[in-house]
Amino acid sequence: MAAMTTAEVLAWLEKRGTRANRDGMARYGIVARKVFGVPMRTLLILRKRIGIEHGLALALWKTGWYEARLLAALIGDPVRLTRRQMNAWAASFENWADCDTACFHLFDRSPLAGGMVPEWASSPKMLVRRAAFALIASIALHDRAAGDREFRRYFPVMAKGARDEADLVRKGVSWALRAIGGRSADLHAGAVTLARRLAEAADSASRWVGKDVLRDLERPLVKARIARKAKAGARKR
């Protein structure tokens, strides 16, 4: 199938956008300057049609249309990403949804991903800080080959980020810590230890993160899953 042009993609999206979807996005706190009102399930259909098209992804992001940006994250090539491209996209995030989609579907698969976290975590831009922790969470959920040591290095970054007063950032820290804590028994223990320390912190933001993480990681279902992983790992050794 012939590749679609940027104009063709925008026309396709415009045809499928609805007022109901635009109103629904607003209820979830998704605010953008240019919105068609196309749901993710429809974007996934178009992604299947297009495949990986990095040049088109870059062009779509530049259009500024919300759905075009989500699609860009779905069809981009993580191997071809550069630090400049990742920084440019991060700097232009408009809401938690384009931030999380880029991190969850594209950035986390880039070999540059881990190196972006410290820089983004200290950014003056709230959504870039959010991206640092969304990226940690996405890597933790997707990279099955990574060892525990690679994730322990993020604990100090998350401890500092937990003090962030921005709601989206502290929720990102919680997501990241919960995702790491679900990977192995050792990381679960480390995440719970940090969460307990945060839950007793002097600042309210850290306390919120700590309690939110503990509610999840100390659930019987999560503990049982971690125990099964530990047993499976012991058998392999």
Side-chain angles (χ1 to χ4, degrees):
M1 182 178 293
M4 296 179 72
T5 66
T6 303
E8 287 171 340
V9 170
L10 293 180
W12 192 96
L13 294 172
E14 183 176 14
K15 184 177 180 180
R16 289 159 179 81
T18 68
R19 174 66 179 271
N21 285 325
R22 291 194 294 272
D23 291 343
M25 289 164 47
R27 287 195 295 271
Y28 284 98
I30 301 172
V31 179
R33 291 175 295 109
K34 299 162 67 175
V35 182
F36 290 120
V38 181
M40 176 59 80
R41 63 180 179 275
T42 303
L43 295 178
L44 292 174
I45 293 172
L46 187 54
R47 176 185 69 172
K48 186 175 181 180
R49 173 181 172 181
I50 294 174
I52 301 299
E53 290 286 348
H54 196 67
L56 179 59
L58 297 179
L60 288 172
W61 190 273
K62 289 180 180 179
T63 68
W65 283 97
Y66 169 72
E67 292 87 355
R69 288 185 161 191
L70 298 193
L71 183 63
L74 296 175
I75 67 172
D77 185 347
V79 177
R80 293 181 60 188
L81 282 171
T82 65
R83 288 183 60 87
R84 174 178 289 184
Q85 289 167 1
M86 294 174 74
N87 279 324
W89 283 26
S92 65
F93 288 149
E94 289 189 298
N95 51 67
W96 65 264
D98 62 6
C99 169
D100 290 5
T101 301
C103 292
F104 194 81
H105 289 282
L106 181 61
F107 288 173
D108 69 309
R109 293 166 173 82
S110 167
L112 302 172
M116 308 304 292
V117 169
E119 176 184 342
W120 288 357
S122 60
S123 171
K125 293 189 174 184
M126 184 268 290
L127 284 170
V128 178
R129 299 197 304 278
R130 162 80 180 196
F133 301 107
L135 191 51
I136 294 173
S138 299
I139 296 170
L141 292 169
H142 294 153
D143 191 348
R144 296 185 178 182
D148 288 0
R149 183 177 180 181
E150 296 182 45
F151 292 98
R152 290 193 193 99
R153 62 177 174 158
Y154 295 128
F155 280 9
V157 180
M158 291 186 290
K160 182 178 180 180
R163 299 195 297 269
D164 200 305
E165 292 294 333
D167 189 52
L168 286 178
V169 178
R170 65 182 180 184
K171 286 182 177 179
V173 175
S174 174
W175 181 22
L177 191 51
R178 286 182 285 116
I180 288 177
R183 286 185 61 91
S184 71
D186 286 345
L187 287 176
H188 182 270
V192 167
T193 297
L194 175 55
R196 287 175 178 164
R197 177 158 59 87
L198 293 173
E200 299 297 326
D203 64 289
S204 60
S206 293
R207 290 197 302 272
W208 183 92
V209 171
K211 293 175 182 178
D212 192 55
V213 171
L214 289 173
R215 274 193 297 270
D216 182 56
L217 294 186
E218 294 192 323
R219 287 185 296 137
L221 183 65
V222 173
K223 289 182 175 181
R225 185 170 66 243
I226 292 298
R228 288 195 298 271
K229 287 184 178 183
K231 288 182 180 179
R235 285 196 296 270
K236 289 180 181 180
R237 292 195 293 269

